[in-house]
């Protein structure tokens, strides 16, 4: 995509003296807040917003093999949650309850989770979480080609919603934000677009580029870290570009766009753009739209790697000063409700760990570990510094042979067998760890791909793939 | 109510030779299976049945003070369940999904539980759990006077259901039964009424009396243990009363009644009877209706006392050979789905215990104990042989003073404080146990009522009442 | 705020002759907004409120026989709704989604409706409609004795809710009100209690008495129309009683009470008071609490008689200038969602009528009539100026004889038979009108009780009772 | 059962020229009912089955332009339903409540419908309708290439279900079938695969080919009508091919497959096959698997054309002898529950029509027409022999200009304007028909594509596309 090359002496917003004609007509209503004002009398503040959540980071996830069968948003975290629960809970806690989730990549488990957790329990026709999975149509046989393409192709759905602002959210970040504050700042600044940026973590490669802002928090430039483009030079709003105080903030990939701005950008200004982050948003800046930066100062984690994911889980086992509090009643984290029995513990020493429900823990020692739902741990097992995702089902004996009756594997039940020792590992769901297995990274491998053997090693963390089977006495 | 005094030479069912005329007209259709046959073509077997569950044992519960604010069916058990979940789960697992729950005594928490757990998630207009709370009407200003009275007053609701059989179930028993087998036997025997009886536990005072049955399992007499009435002598169906082989079985309070039989018994035969167990059912036997006994051989517990309730909870902490299995996938136990975070365990030695979700367990030792949802246990606390019901809410600091700000109590948060020691106790919900409290029955009291101090002792078990507060250093 | 300094010889309702001085200290926090301020940082405005809806007017309803089997709130209105839907929809549209419904009188259908319509579909643990049916407890075996008694006995439930304001609502009125405006005025005036009053309809006997207010809309007196008491004379807050401008407004029975005010009034000031309207609220005025009047100017109908109910239904058939708009997307009316097929119309002339779904209308003429769900109308029937509530079920032929097989009635299906003529009538649910029946009030009776014949006449309107049967050729 | 002993020179679909002998051993368990028997003790009959519903016929729908924005299964029918409701209702009425819906083509509205209508209201973790939208994965970036490919790629999901039989169902047919009877016959015949065939409609091109069956209803050949292939000649099971009595039946595209058979066919025998109908199923026949034909004799409509769709709608307006009964209580048709108000009819003559809820019909004449939800018809309008799908929203005046404010179109509200005349037309949702518009096919066109003008004509039926706008006085 070719961005506009230069826009000298643009004086946009409020007192546009020399607005180029062609731009003028394109965005004739972009800065007019009249429709908004008009509607703010009809819709309550929180009703005027709809959220668009992207269920996955991208096809090539940095969290493979956790993303082999699921998108990033569907990865289990902290025992009972999926990563996307954090963002959806932010929406609900911010009283934004018109949510579209756009999914495409390995979307089955994400769709299922979203729908079971959120769709059934919202208010009739007024509140909803609607999952829009990528689809073929007579007009377009292709997959979504990016965030902008996805939104453009879903515009016919989004336009049916009378929302005046659309809040675009990546679904795979862990943080707590009251989006109403973001919206308030957006409205108070009469912005066309507001982007959320990291205030505290500087120069962080979030994958969404970074923005240069002036001292009114107006965005005046964008840089995509990946391509190491130089900032698009802009002289906006009469600000003296070289003299003003400018700061650079990493983008969180969160955008508030006014309805008409969004529609015109996608359909008219950049009808071929595939991505929001490095095509539409930078384009909007170049066009001189009023793009405001909302600085966010709280905890934020983007699970950019297996290591970051591992650390976020370890964080959840801390008793105090948790960076992300799953136990906060005033800003709760929602997820799929469960009907599991309580965990049955025969004789365990458990230290600094979280234990989900439905587990059966026999005489074992668990330290600094996240234990997911329905996990079974056998006698004498020791688990340290690990994430055990648990099991989707209770396996009954009769059931072991349904799928083919492989003797070797069939005899190993889901869970962690007797006498096994697991240290610094992530065990994906439904893995079958036999007896006296050692998952300890014996050879201190830092990076290694043994996927065909059921695991990979990254940053020294062993990741056991979903459903992998480790016979008795295995050592890795 | 005065029961019929004598019925000599009645020969009912099948080959009624000398059926008294007045009875004949009363029950002219009672043994005719024609309507059933006709309808069995329209309704599937499981659709022809509706269940009527009684939410509470009676006003004077043997489980006080656990029933101070709730009926017996609503008592928490095994960490995550309510007692009534066992019976409702039996219904669902037996594919009986038209359920009426009749409640009256301390029904608020039971109603709330039933509706949140079961009402929302059943099939449209075809499956339901409908709670019928006692109500006043122009015709009757009074409370339900007993099970028969309750059903009679709800007949206008029950009659709208085209069910051909009604399955009456007490809601406060712990057992697993496939009711379809009971119904099958009922139909195969072309019975008017089938009662379930305990096959293995002999002479148990279930509170529902006991039945004398002949060698075809036909009921030929009833005895109410409470009143120690002698068995009603009957000569039914030509059986030689004195010579035949007879056995006495304890009633489980479970009755299958054919639709028309139920209506006629309640409205015409015994229009003033208040109770099913010692008025309507014995009356039906006396009238010569075909009452069949279904012998049930499994585990059954009626929570007849605090001690029995305590033992049932202890049973749930066993690893193997549980009498009642909460972890059985093929016959699961349903309950209210929860959104709680996993339990956070700082440093605990846990032995033979069940741990519900949402708990925060610090450096503590837990042995042979049921820990309910959201339980907080402080550093150094030791809990043994106990049932901790947990908390309804996460208490935030700011919240402690909402309700009046009592300094002494307000400063003690819900949960078990640091250094406290609890042994052989039942701690009801939301209790606030301070630091270094000892709940150990120091004086080895067997029975004692200290309700004003927040506890009673029964059979040597200390029962701490809901919401009770024990300041630091208390010893009891 | 300065509290009243002396209370000499105040004559309060019921019994308190000399209000004790210490009352002053009792309410020391009543007007302090400190707790509110403190909490407003924690809870959002709409989260700080819980609604308490009373499901029924009283035991002796003015709408008999429509209330024979249901409470006033459960009466069908406008084809697809129940009366209580109006108030619950007000709550939802005002973003008040923590609702307690207190019921007791003929509550079965109301409970069922509320739970099916609203309980399943609200947000997890944060939003709810909780039905509290009257219940017996060890402490109190009696029914609720009035609104104040009901709230006092449910205080243990209400207190668990951290709401800072409780909004008390009668459930049987038809109106649209944004309760947030009421609450805003309550907060802006730092009132202890705010009452809603009718601004436009003067001297209307609402059943809730009327308030005298000063020119700041502060309430300074109460009069119960029933007892025709003179206004309680008050000198409050230094207002010059005789000189100020005073107005009298009819109460709508809607009260906002601050949490602590509510608790103290019910438990300490008037622990024996049964009613809010003529005991607690007047008492609060007498105690000098700051009671504010919120004047409501919109349409409001209290269904004080069969005639008023009839007129409200006729109103719903108007095309334009409806006083109460069921078709307003921005303030929708919620109700139980239905799965009914569309109405099938063979050959009908329909004029100024509303037709619910699932009806089967053959060659008939319908004018100025409300046709409820599943109504069947036969060939040649004429219905004018009437309310047909419809049927709860589709009756299949095989089913007619389930309940006893009365030949005469059994042969008449639910609905309106061929050739029948109905004019100015209310036909309750499941009525069976045979062929060529005339329900036309032939003798121009104004008032008549023929309940045993299946109808009563009031204000010249024929009311056919639920399930009544009229054989072919009947004329009334 | 004796498996086929030799497979000389079988010509299978695609490529396998000489079926390898080892296939025999591959399917060693295929006809053994042992696993089934074993499991039938654990699972109830209805629990052992899972349904796989295909949401759409194919990308190139014969029902364009109704499928412009939706798949065939999502097309509205009979006023209140979507086409797929028929099949899902069959499942529920057959007590098959583990349903996977596989979607890909224009799936948004189908997914949304399925999830709102069915997902929220099923039993906890035991019953479900799970929508699996096509997705990209690391292993496969492509769309589903056909029914077999779709099932193969979802096998990892299906295999998690312990079902022993999988029932494959096209989602766009209109019929009522008790699938339990189909399954019973499948089990009684110990078949590997059972296919449903049309018993009454001979030689119908269903799009699924046709089967040749012997006099035991065993399938012995397949013919794809499209390719006009000759029947695959087979000598199976010792049947004397030339002498037996053979019949040819059209396939309904409905297949029951035993679990292991399905897995082996998809993964091992035909790992490259894309389609079930003309690759996997014919292949299974060729392999000698026991394929049984279940003959279905009821009404069945496959919506193979706009004309067929039109006729099916006209059928629903018939009073008696409906071929497909939407009003049958014993076999109800489920759909999305709605909260719409009843229809408001000012002055209409309605003949042989169905009227959904939420309509506003002014002084108009409606004959032989299906009127969908929220339809508005203006004064003097006449609608005959048509299908009006209705509107998704109530349009408020203020709203008309949200999306751009096109004066010409914006002034025409959704619905049918005053004085307009519509005859033999299908009006898709949200169309805006101005005043005095004539949609009458003035020129008696039989086929015509005027999509850019908002309509096409097929078989003389005018189809107005979704959201099309016809200014006042338009004639077509």
């Amino acid at each position: 995509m070719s961005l506009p090359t230069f826009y000298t002496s643009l004086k946009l917003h409020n007192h546009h003296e020399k607005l180029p004609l062609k731009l003028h007509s394109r965005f004739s209503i972009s800065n007019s807040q009249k429709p908004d004002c008009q509607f703010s009398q009809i819709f309550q503040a929180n009703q005027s917003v709809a959220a668009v959540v992207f269920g996955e980071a991208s096809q090539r996830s940095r969290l493979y093999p956790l993303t082999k069968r699921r998108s990033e948003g569907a990865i289990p975290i902290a025992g009972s949650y999926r990563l996307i629960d954090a963002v959806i809970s932010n929406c609900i806690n911010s009283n934004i309850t018109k949510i579209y989730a756009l999914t495409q990549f390995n979307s089955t488990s994400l769709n299922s989770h979203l729908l079971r957790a959120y769709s059934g329990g919202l208010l009739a026709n007024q509140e909803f979480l609607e999952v829009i999975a990528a689809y073929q149509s007579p007009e377009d046989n292709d997959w979504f080609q990016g965030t902008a393409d996805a939104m453009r192709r879903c515009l016919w759905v989004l336009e049916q919603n009378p929302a005046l602002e659309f809040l675009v959210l990546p679904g795979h970040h862990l943080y707590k934000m009251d989006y109403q504050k973001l919206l308030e700042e957006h409205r108070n600044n009469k912005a066309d677009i507001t982007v959320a940026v990291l205030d505290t973590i500087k120069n962080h490669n979030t994958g969404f580029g970074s923005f240069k802002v002036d001292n009114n928090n107006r965005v005046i430039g964008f840089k995509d870290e990946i391509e190491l483009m130089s900032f698009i030079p802009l002289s906006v709003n009469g600000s003296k570009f070289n003299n003003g105080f400018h700061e650079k903030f990493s983008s969180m990939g969160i955008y508030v766009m006014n309805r008409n701005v969004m529609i015109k950008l996608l359909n008219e200004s950049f009808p071929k753009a595939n991505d929001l982050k490095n095509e539409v948003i930078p384009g909007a800046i170049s066009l001189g739209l009023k793009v405001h930066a909302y600085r966010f100062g709280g905890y934020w984690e983007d699970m950019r790697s297996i290591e970051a994911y591992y650390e976020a889980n370890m964080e959840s086992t801390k008793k105090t000063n948790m960076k992300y509090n799953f136990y906060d009643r005033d800003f709760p984290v929602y997820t799929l409700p469960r009907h599991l029995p309580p965990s049955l513990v025969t004789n365990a020493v458990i230290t600094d760990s979280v234990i989900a429900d439905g587990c059966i823990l026999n005489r074992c020692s668990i330290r600094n570990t996240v234990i997911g739902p329905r996990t079974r741990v056998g006698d004498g097992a020791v688990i340290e510094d690990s994430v055990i995702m648990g099991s989707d089902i209770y396996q009954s004996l009769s059931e072991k042979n349904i799928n083919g009756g492989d003797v070797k594997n069939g005899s190993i039940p889901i869970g962690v067998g007797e006498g096994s020792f697991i240290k610094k590992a992530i065990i994906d769901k439904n893995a079958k760890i036999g007896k006296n297995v050692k998952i300890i990274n014996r050879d201190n491998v830092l990076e290694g791909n043994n996927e065909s053997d059921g695991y990979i090693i990254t940053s020294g963390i062993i990741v056991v793939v979903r459903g992998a089977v480790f016979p008795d006495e295995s050592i890795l």
Side-chain angles (χ1 to χ4, degrees), chain A residues 387-431:
Chain A
V387 179
I388 314 292
M389 289 195 189
S391 161
D392 284 326
I393 53 165
Y394 280 115
Q395 202 176 22
S396 61
L397 285 188
S398 53
E399 192 176 342
K400 276 187 225 150
N401 298 308
I402 290 185
N403 287 313
D406 181 335
V407 176
K408 194 193 65 173
N409 298 344
S411 60
I412 300 174
I414 293 174
V416 177
E418 301 171 19
S420 288
F421 181 29
I422 297 173
K423 191 174 167 65
K424 204 171 182 185
I426 298 169
I427 313 291
D428 206 333
K429 282 207 173 171
N430 302 340

Side-chain angles (χ1 to χ4, degrees), chain A residues 67-88:
Chain A
T67 51
K68 189 179 182 179
R69 286 289 190 205
R70 54 171 91 87
S71 59
E72 291 199 352
I75 297 179
I77 188 164
S80 301
Y81 299 90
R82 305 289 183 133
L83 194 38
I84 205 167
D85 290 329
V87 168
I88 304 295

Side-chain angles (χ1 to χ4, degrees), chain A residues 363-376:
Chain A
R363 300 175 197 287
C364 58
S365 168
I366 295 169
R367 172 184 296 271
N368 208 30
T369 287
V370 171
I371 301 282
R374 294 193 198 78
T375 300
R376 291 193 193 193

Side-chain angles (χ1 to χ4, degrees), chain A residues 145-158:
Chain A
Q145 299 299 307
T147 48
D149 182 56
M151 286 185 72
R152 188 183 299 109
R153 286 174 61 189
C154 297
L155 262 186
W156 68 276
V157 178
L158 301 179

